[in-house]
């Protein structure tokens, strides 16, 4: 087995699970996850000499996955099968426990953010990446990534402040003024 093959196998064994979870959290259809993950590792094979050494290898793979997912989303849009990130139009149970309502407010606020802000927040919250690792995924400087994270958090908090919390037993969660 060549050194290139050994490195690929090691990287695959080491990071397949994380890449699979990263992709699965972003795709609406589970059937598409394996195809996207396979494409990520195909890119890794073609660019094996460009893959940084650990611990930067995983953020590099997340960056590849992010670009493959962007292509997949464009493909899905062309086929008109893309599903919205949060199905906020569905009826919400009339029993609104505070924690459920808080979660719905966060989901509604998150849905109002731009795609870039949502992705930065996902990288930090879902993937537990540091600003340095986010910078690798986004292909920017660490300071730029840290600023993007701060700004995205600030925009999320601002969005959460304007989400309408229905107190009248209503079954909708919406934005103030959107009625």
């Amino acid at each position: 087995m060549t050194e290139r093959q050994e490195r690929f196998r090691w990287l695959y064994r080491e990071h397949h699970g994380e890449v699979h979870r990263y992709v699965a959290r972003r795709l609406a259809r589970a059937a598409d996850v394996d195809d996207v993950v396979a494409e990520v590792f195909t890119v890794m094979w073609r660019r094996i000499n460009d893959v940084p050494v650990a611990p930067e290898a995983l953020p590099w793979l997340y960056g590849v996955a992010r670009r493959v997912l962007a292509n997949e989303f464009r493909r899905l849009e062309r086929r008109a099968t893309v599903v919205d990130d949060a199905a906020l139009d569905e009826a919400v149970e009339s029993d609104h426990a505070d924690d459920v309502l808080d979660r719905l407010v966060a989901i509604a606020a998150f849905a109002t953010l731009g795609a870039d802000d949502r992705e930065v927040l996902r990288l930090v919250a879902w993937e537990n990446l540091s600003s340095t690792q986010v910078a690798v995924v986004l292909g920017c400087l660490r300071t730029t990534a840290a600023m993007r994270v701060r700004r995205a958090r600030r925009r999320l908090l601002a969005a959460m402040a304007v989400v309408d919390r229905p107190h009248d037993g209503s079954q909708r969660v919406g934005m103030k003024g959107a009625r």
Side-chain angles (χ1 to χ4, degrees), residues 27 29 31-33 35-36 67-82:
L27 282 178
R29 290 180 24 156
D32 297 327
V33 173
D35 290 340
V36 170
R67 288 183 286 284
V68 171
L69 281 166
N71 291 337
E72 180 68 7
F73 289 140
R74 283 190 291 273
R75 185 187 70 78
L76 291 172
E77 282 179 26
R78 284 191 299 270
R79 292 183 52 194
T81 59
V82 73

Side-chain angles (χ1 to χ4, degrees), residues 35-51:
D35 290 340
V36 170
V37 171
E39 181 63 25
V40 169
F41 284 100
T42 299
V43 170
M44 185 184 79
W45 172 253
R46 284 194 312 258
R47 298 188 56 207
I48 194 73
N49 294 331
D50 297 333
V51 180

